[in-house]
Amino acid sequence: MILNHVIQIDVEVQVELEELESDDEGDGEEAVTAADDEGVFQFDDEEAEGTKVPGNESGSDSESDSGSDDDDDDSDSSDDDDDEDDGLGKAKYNAKKTVAKLDAVMSTVFTWLEKHCQLDLATNEMPESTSQMFLQFLDLFITIVLPTFKSRYTQFFLFYLCAQDAQYADVFLGTMMSNVGEPVRNAQDRTSNVEKIAAASYLGSFVARARFLSKVIVRNVVGVLVQWANTYLDWQEQQQEKVVLGRSRRLSYAQAAGGTGNSLHVDFERHSVFFAVTQAVLYMFCFRWRDLAESTSGGPVNESELDNIRWCQEVEGIQRVVFSKLNPLRACSSIVAQQFSMVASQTNFMFCYSVLQQNRRKNQENDTGTSGVVASPDQVLRAELDTFFPFDPMTLPVSRNFIDGAYLEWQDVGGTADSDDDGSQQSDAENDKSDDEGDENEADVVEQMVAMSISPVIPLSAFTDRTFDDQF
């Protein structure tokens, strides 16, 4: 009941903020920032009524009539502006009240959870009642929160619970991986693509942001998702071979995959889960690459010596996925694609700026003459993938105090080539060009990266099949 109430307020906040953002369009970033300023709700009627038209200050008789007409018109226009401003100010005030209400409700629930998440000193484990409570929250999450793309904060209840016990996090990861399903859908799989995309988004965002996850868990999740994506590509190649043999003629892999290399969406709806899984991998890499690498001597990564690192075997299949014919960098969020390209380049993992440049040119070509076209299912799903990062920073001022200690903030890659004192240039032509382009986009990209909805209660020990380690 409480979770239903919280998510209703949560979604209401997001809808109101989206409407405000739409109203502020054209006013620039200043107008959006002003929503948190008390002064935005104050209007000076005298200044509005006293607005004059330039050129009428002389008050000459020859211009008195026209000046009077202009003043009347200006007064009408000013009244209209005041009405619009009053409406916008009221909307901002209402949004602010709704945010405060959500923060108050969530902080109350967090306080209650904190009280009931105390270790049993005798066993040094969470008591059975706490584990049952976690399973209740998990089942409510699957039923209510997971299908709700506009949920922004409600999912942090589960984030908080997972931070209390490693076993809780393991169960959550296993449950999300089960919802993603197998790379090749079978007849028994009744989970919709929307739910699969959401589960992949939660996996990527959770692993990226959960500071309490061990290096082993991070590597395991990345490895399983990379294997999932490569198995999907294997299946696509098998389908291509069947089509070629069946028609007795040569057919390109891109056509067999559901689109041509020049297609804007490459049949996005058909491959949407693959793109969501790939985006989760790229997103996790950006935040957790330090857990996926080690120095050549076997110790922690020294970020001033990035030439002397080696990567864990779990990331070996990423290159194939990124450069595959399905071209996931084109389908994934542009922010994630750009940031991955920068981090991968800075850490010498791989270089894929050329793919981004090619995609940008093709997007510009395809965008020509597409204005006014009704959004297709492909575009709707792509929009969700482009904007849904469920564990983006918690910004509610009181509730965030329960999350900050377990939350991983964005960290820039240290020891990059553009900070060298000798000013030497990279010998590789692609790196030279990518650095110029990276400098141009890095500020915007990093800013957005910092800124990515009841079963019977049974003991947690009975859910061994839902844990990540046992499944994978």
Side-chain angles (χ1 to χ4, degrees):
M1 203 54 188
I2 290 291
L3 201 61
N4 268 313
H5 182 57
V6 171
I7 200 168
Q8 286 174 5
I9 303 175
D10 193 354
V11 172
E12 181 183 346
V13 168
Q14 304 318 309
V15 171
E16 289 181 356
L17 292 179
E18 287 177 4
E19 290 175 351
L20 282 176
E21 193 173 322
S22 177
D23 290 340
D24 279 337
E25 199 173 57
D27 292 338
E29 188 176 339
E30 245 180 342
V32 178
T33 306
D36 294 327
D37 190 349
E38 288 293 338
V40 78
F41 306 118
Q42 300 174 1
F43 300 94
D44 192 337
D45 293 336
E46 291 181 2
E47 289 182 4
E49 292 174 0
T51 306
K52 294 182 179 181
V53 177
N56 288 339
E57 293 81 2
S58 64
S60 62
D61 293 340
S62 61
E63 297 178 357
S64 60
D65 293 339
S66 61
S68 177
D69 292 340
D70 288 343
D71 286 343
D72 290 341
D73 293 341
D74 190 55
S75 178
D76 293 340
S77 175
S78 191
D79 289 342
D80 291 340
D81 290 341
D82 284 346
D83 290 340
E84 292 178 6
D85 290 342
D86 285 340
L88 182 58
K90 184 177 180 180
K92 290 179 178 178
Y93 178 69
N94 289 337
K96 194 171 184 180
K97 283 181 61 179
T98 307
V99 170
K101 179 181 178 181
L102 177 64
D103 193 15
V105 174
M106 289 195 65
S107 61
T108 301
V109 177
F110 275 126
T111 301
W112 185 87
L113 289 176
E114 184 179 47
K115 180 181 178 181
H116 289 81
C117 289
Q118 302 296 327
L119 281 175
D120 186 333
L121 297 180
T123 62
N124 201 32
E125 295 179 352
M126 284 293 177
E128 189 65 32
S129 59
T130 304
S131 297
Q132 291 178 354
M133 178 183 67
F134 164 74
L135 291 176
Q136 281 185 319
F137 266 87
L138 179 60
D139 287 334
L140 288 170
F141 168 86
I142 295 170
T143 305
I144 301 171
V145 183
L146 185 62
T148 308
F149 271 98
K150 287 188 181 295
S151 173
R152 174 69 177 81
Y153 297 112
T154 312
Q155 53 265 28
F156 276 97
F157 289 139
L158 204 59
F159 187 95
Y160 176 83
L161 288 171
C162 288
Q164 308 309 308
D165 192 305
Q167 190 178 6
Y168 297 168
D170 191 36
V171 171
F172 174 70
L173 290 170
T175 303
M176 291 301 96
M177 196 65 229
S178 295
N179 275 55
V180 172
E182 297 295 329
V184 182
R185 182 186 287 270
N186 56 51
Q188 288 73 38
D189 188 355
R190 301 187 181 278
T191 307
S192 69
N193 277 2
V194 171
E195 292 177 285
K196 290 175 179 287
I197 291 172
S201 298
Y202 271 100
L203 272 173
S205 193
F206 183 80
V207 173
R209 295 295 196 170
R211 181 189 297 273
F212 49 87
L213 290 181
S214 68
K215 179 186 294 186
V216 172
I217 290 295
V218 172
R219 291 185 176 187
N220 285 347
V221 176
V222 170
V224 168
L225 290 181
V226 170
Q227 183 181 12
W228 190 104
N230 276 275
T231 301
Y232 187 86
L233 293 177
D234 291 340
W235 180 75
Q236 287 295 315
E237 290 175 355
Q238 292 172 8
Q239 299 308 301
Q240 176 202 10
E241 293 175 0
K242 290 180 181 178
V243 171
V244 172
L245 291 174
R247 296 183 180 179
S248 300
R249 63 182 179 85
R250 189 173 186 81
L251 188 66
S252 70
Y253 173 36
Q255 289 173 313
T260 65
N262 292 324
S263 171
L264 178 60
H265 301 291
V266 195
D267 197 356
F268 182 84
E269 187 174 13
R270 179 179 176 186
H271 305 293
S272 56
V273 181
F274 167 79
F275 293 135
V277 168
T278 302
Q279 175 163 296
V281 171
L282 305 186
Y283 191 71
M284 289 187 291
F285 184 92
C286 290
F287 280 87
R288 306 305 292 255
W289 66 268
R290 296 167 182 84
D291 292 322
L292 302 173
E294 59 187 20
S295 68
T296 52
S297 61
V301 172
N302 183 346
E303 296 192 39
S304 63
E305 300 178 0
L306 293 177
D307 289 333
N308 298 319
I309 63 175
R310 61 189 178 194
W311 298 94
C312 65
Q313 62 180 4
E314 286 82 358
V315 301
E316 290 178 357
I318 294 180
Q319 286 91 339
R320 180 197 178 198
V321 174
V322 168
F323 290 108
S324 69
K325 294 291 185 179
L326 291 181
N327 195 0
L329 290 184
R330 194 175 187 186
C332 294
S333 164
S334 59
I335 297 301
V336 173
Q338 291 175 40
Q339 189 63 43
F340 171 78
S341 298
M342 282 193 283
V343 173
S345 175
Q346 291 168 339
T347 58
N348 298 313
F349 176 68
M350 64 183 293
F351 301 94
C352 51
Y353 279 113
S354 58
V355 178
L356 290 183
Q357 293 165 355
Q358 182 181 16
N359 290 341
R360 190 177 296 113
R361 286 194 298 268
K362 290 180 178 179
N363 286 337
Q364 290 171 351
E365 294 171 2
N366 283 281
D367 284 344
T368 305
T370 59
S371 59
V373 177
V374 177
S376 66
D378 277 7
Q379 292 169 312
V380 172
L381 277 172
R382 191 179 190 280
E384 298 290 8
L385 184 63
D386 196 52
T387 59
F388 189 57
F389 302 96
F391 293 111
D392 267 1
M394 160 70 81
T395 57
L396 299 178
V398 180
S399 299
R400 67 174 297 171
N401 294 323
F402 295 90
I403 299 298
D404 283 351
Y407 193 79
L408 183 64
E409 300 285 353
W410 171 256
Q411 295 175 302
D412 290 327
V413 178
T416 54
D418 58 0
S419 63
D420 288 343
D421 293 332
D422 60 4
S424 61
Q425 297 181 347
Q426 298 181 36
S427 58
D428 185 76
E430 182 187 9
N431 289 351
D432 284 334
K433 190 169 183 180
S434 66
D435 276 349
D436 292 339
E437 188 174 281
D439 292 339
E440 207 172 287
N441 299 323
E442 185 169 5
D444 291 338
V445 173
V446 171
E447 181 180 352
Q448 294 185 57
M449 292 292 283
V450 172
M452 318 259 78
S453 359
I454 305 175
S455 300
V457 177
I458 58 177
L460 188 66
S461 57
F463 277 75
T464 52
D465 61 319
R466 289 172 66 170
T467 64
F468 189 86
D469 286 341
D470 288 342
Q471 288 189 75
F472 307 101

